[in-house]
Amino acid sequence: MPRLHPNIVDANRRKIERVALRLFCAQGFHGTSMREIATRSHVSLGNIYNYYKTKDELFTSIVNHYGQVMNTQRDRLLESIHAPFERDEILGLASRIRDVVYRYGDFWLLMYVDVTEFRNRHFEKFFLGLADEFRNRFRREFSQPQLRRGLKGLDPGMVFAAMWMQFFNYFLVERLFRGRRHFGMADAAVVKGLSQMYERVWRR
Amino acid sequence: MPRLHPNIVDANRRKIERVALRLFCAQGFHGTSMREIATRSHVSLGNIYNYYKTKDELFTSIVNHYGQVMNTQRDRLLESIHAPFERDEILGLASRIRDVVYRYGDFWLLMYVDVTEFRNRHFEKFFLGLADEFRNRFRREFSQPQLRRGLKGLDPGMVFAAMWMQFFNYFLVERLFRGRRHFGMADAAVVKGLSQMYERVWRR
DNA sequence: TCAACAAAAATGAACGTTTGTTTTTTAATA
DNA sequence: TATTAAAAAACAAACGTTCATTTTTGTTGA
């Protein structure tokens, strides 16, 4: 009984999803036709329906697949941090976030597609409990006496979340909104400045 | 020669655009049909084309109209600030940004629609020169000796832009991404914490 | 070793809707 | 009644999906 080798099935799905992701991000879900996905991925229109029951299922599959990739990236990023409030590590955090935003820019665009065409149905989970995960992961680092003294009552989890979101948002605006230099200075200067700023919140 | 009174024409346009804005935000540009806009605004399909040549023109008209409203809001917001780095004014800034995000949430969603379906064609201008406008408007405030001493070389324009974007981004995530309490604490606590943080950047 | 076979995969035409827009018809008004 | 506004009907194109058909492919029997 002839059956496609699982590796080939996976490869075909990846090929379709890669093309579909690009198109969904550039022209939205409803603005992208199955015909265009078929043509550009060199898979016949009918055959796509052997891999996905509906267009919605194709979208969901992309979100889930890339969602796993992004979770892995986030974990790796967090694991590389050992002193979350030292200037050098803040610089490193910024640089890694920049990488993630620029390398996986399409994924973040897909998030906007989800917000505007699906009321954030698929992506809601990505924001839930973000700060709490920070607090959990850096419990030890956040409770160091020197840091707590410097923060003078400021919640370290909140400060870290602020830092994290700030860098993400900065690069997302630069990348996705073409807000070239929206801080009025080069990326490197912004990163340097913000790193100084966040270090100064607790250290003088 | 009977001709509609300009006020009535304007009222009709507003009626159409209000409905279209809501629909574009909830299901995207391509996901919204002219028929649905017609039905919900109680204007016949054919008649909409007496007001707008094409669907694209309707979209553009909405962006321009609400863009003016948002620019006015931003100007009023900035005019209310006299000491940009005092804790009380930072709290006020946060509260006003919150208002703008919650009252005009649809407008920001439209920005995401524009990014994902028009490559940010209509909204690009909204980010250009943002920080430079801050620097211009607060030239006097930013050059106060006490502040400059406290900032120790940090660019006040950058710090203010960071603050501005931070509050906007925080409330946008809360409002549009349903990231309920994504900092792991209530809005009021976040605002209080961030205000303390930004004051502490320059004042001890 | 290799044609014959059966099952799966791939294809593209076809289907019924829905789309944006245009054209035609009707209603309203100075 | 002349002119515009509003409504309704009509149009071609495009949509997501289905389906009949062809091609491919691993196995089998000689």
Side-chain angles (χ1 to χ4, degrees):
Chain A
M1 310 107 175
R3 188 143 232 174
L4 238 48
H5 193 287
N7 289 348
I8 296 195
V9 172
D10 281 358
N12 285 343
R13 290 177 71 98
R14 270 204 304 277
K15 189 169 66 173
I16 296 169
E17 293 184 14
R18 207 179 50 235
V19 169
L21 171 62
R22 191 155 46 88
L23 291 174
F24 286 155
C25 292
Q27 41 198 38
F29 178 80
H30 291 98
T32 302
S33 71
M34 292 298 269
R35 278 169 183 78
E36 192 172 358
I37 296 171
T39 305
R40 295 206 196 240
S41 61
H42 302 102
V43 173
S44 72
L45 180 60
N47 198 23
I48 292 187
Y49 284 85
N50 289 329
Y51 290 85
Y52 308 94
K53 269 214 289 282
T54 63
K55 191 184 176 188
D56 280 80
E57 195 182 290
L58 170 57
F59 186 85
T60 305
S61 176
I62 293 173
V63 173
N64 290 338
H65 177 239
Y66 280 85
Q68 281 189 323
V69 173
M70 297 316 295
N71 278 335
T72 306
Q73 291 292 324
R74 191 177 69 177
D75 284 346
R76 289 210 301 169
L77 206 166
L78 287 174
E79 274 162 20
S80 75
I81 299 174
H82 300 97
F85 290 108
E86 294 292 333
R87 171 131 40 121
D88 283 350
E89 299 225 6
I90 299 175
L91 282 167
L93 173 71
S95 148
R96 283 158 187 274
I97 287 179
R98 194 195 128 95
D99 282 351
V100 170
V101 169
Y102 275 76
R103 188 174 336 179
Y104 301 99
D106 279 354
F107 179 77
W108 307 107
L109 272 176
L110 205 66
M111 187 173 65
Y112 295 138
V113 172
D114 190 44
V115 170
T116 57
E117 302 191 57
F118 296 101
R119 300 170 172 281
N120 208 29
R121 196 194 312 152
H122 307 84
F123 275 82
E124 195 169 1
K125 54 190 178 204
F126 279 88
F127 283 101
L128 290 177
L130 183 67
D132 289 331
E133 203 198 309
F134 294 155
R135 290 196 183 85
N136 236 316
R137 192 184 283 266
F138 295 121
R139 206 169 328 139
R140 262 184 305 134
E141 292 84 351
F142 284 178
S143 56
Q144 284 198 345
Q146 192 190 0
L147 178 68
R148 307 223 49 121
R149 239 179 292 124
L151 283 176
K152 281 202 243 177
L154 272 183
D155 175 7
M158 188 212 67
V159 176
F160 188 82
M163 213 161 67
W164 177 277
M165 294 299 285
Q166 180 109 72
F167 284 125
F168 249 100
N169 189 50
Y170 175 79
F171 290 118
L172 282 175
V173 170
E174 285 291 300
R175 166 78 206 275
L176 306 182
F177 295 85
R178 296 161 209 250
R180 308 247 170 240
R181 296 164 58 96
H182 70 290
F183 268 36
M185 45 212 278
D187 277 6
V190 172
V191 168
K192 193 179 157 200
L194 289 178
S195 302
Q196 279 181 16
M197 186 183 91
Y198 280 105
E199 199 197 25
R200 203 168 299 175
V201 170
W202 68 282
R203 175 184 273 164
R204 275 282 159 183
Chain B
M1 314 99 176
R3 187 144 233 174
L4 239 47
H5 193 286
N7 288 350
I8 297 195
V9 172
D10 280 358
N12 286 343
R13 290 177 71 98
R14 268 205 304 277
K15 187 170 66 173
I16 296 169
E17 292 184 15
R18 206 179 49 235
V19 169
L21 171 62
R22 190 156 45 89
L23 291 175
F24 286 156
C25 293
Q27 41 199 38
F29 177 80
H30 291 98
T32 302
S33 70
M34 293 297 271
R35 276 168 185 79
E36 193 172 358
I37 297 171
T39 305
R40 296 205 194 240
S41 61
H42 302 102
V43 173
S44 72
L45 179 61
N47 198 22
I48 291 187
Y49 283 86
N50 290 328
Y51 291 85
Y52 308 94
K53 269 214 291 278
T54 62
K55 191 183 176 188
D56 280 79
E57 195 182 290
L58 169 58
F59 186 85
T60 305
S61 176
I62 294 173
V63 173
N64 289 339
H65 177 240
Y66 281 86
Q68 280 188 325
V69 174
M70 297 316 295
N71 278 336
T72 305
Q73 290 292 325
R74 190 177 69 178
D75 284 346
R76 289 208 301 170
L77 206 165
L78 287 174
E79 274 162 21
S80 75
I81 299 174
H82 300 98
F85 290 107
E86 294 292 333
R87 170 130 43 121
D88 283 351
E89 298 226 7
I90 298 175
L91 282 167
L93 173 70
S95 149
R96 284 159 186 273
I97 287 178
R98 196 195 125 96
D99 282 352
V100 170
V101 169
Y102 275 77
R103 187 175 334 182
Y104 301 98
D106 280 353
F107 179 76
W108 306 107
L109 272 177
L110 205 65
M111 187 172 65
Y112 294 139
V113 172
D114 190 44
V115 170
T116 56
E117 302 190 59
F118 296 102
R119 301 170 170 279
N120 208 28
R121 196 194 314 152
H122 307 85
F123 275 81
E124 193 168 5
K125 55 190 176 207
F126 279 86
F127 283 100
L128 290 177
L130 183 67
D132 288 333
E133 203 198 309
F134 295 153
R135 290 196 183 85
N136 235 316
R137 191 183 285 264
F138 296 120
R139 205 170 327 139
R140 261 184 305 133
E141 291 82 352
F142 284 177
S143 56
Q144 283 197 348
Q146 191 190 359
L147 178 68
R148 308 225 46 123
R149 239 180 291 123
L151 283 176
K152 281 202 244 176
L154 272 184
D155 175 7
M158 187 212 68
V159 177
F160 187 82
M163 213 161 67
W164 176 277
M165 294 299 286
Q166 181 109 71
F167 284 125
F168 249 100
N169 188 50
Y170 175 79
F171 291 117
L172 281 174
V173 170
E174 283 292 300
R175 165 80 205 273
L176 306 182
F177 294 85
R178 297 162 211 251
R180 308 248 170 239
R181 297 164 56 96
H182 70 290
F183 268 37
M185 45 212 280
D187 278 7
V190 172
V191 167
K192 194 180 156 198
L194 289 178
S195 302
Q196 281 181 14
M197 185 184 94
Y198 280 105
E199 199 196 25
R200 201 169 299 174
V201 170
W202 69 282
R203 175 185 274 165
R204 275 280 158 182

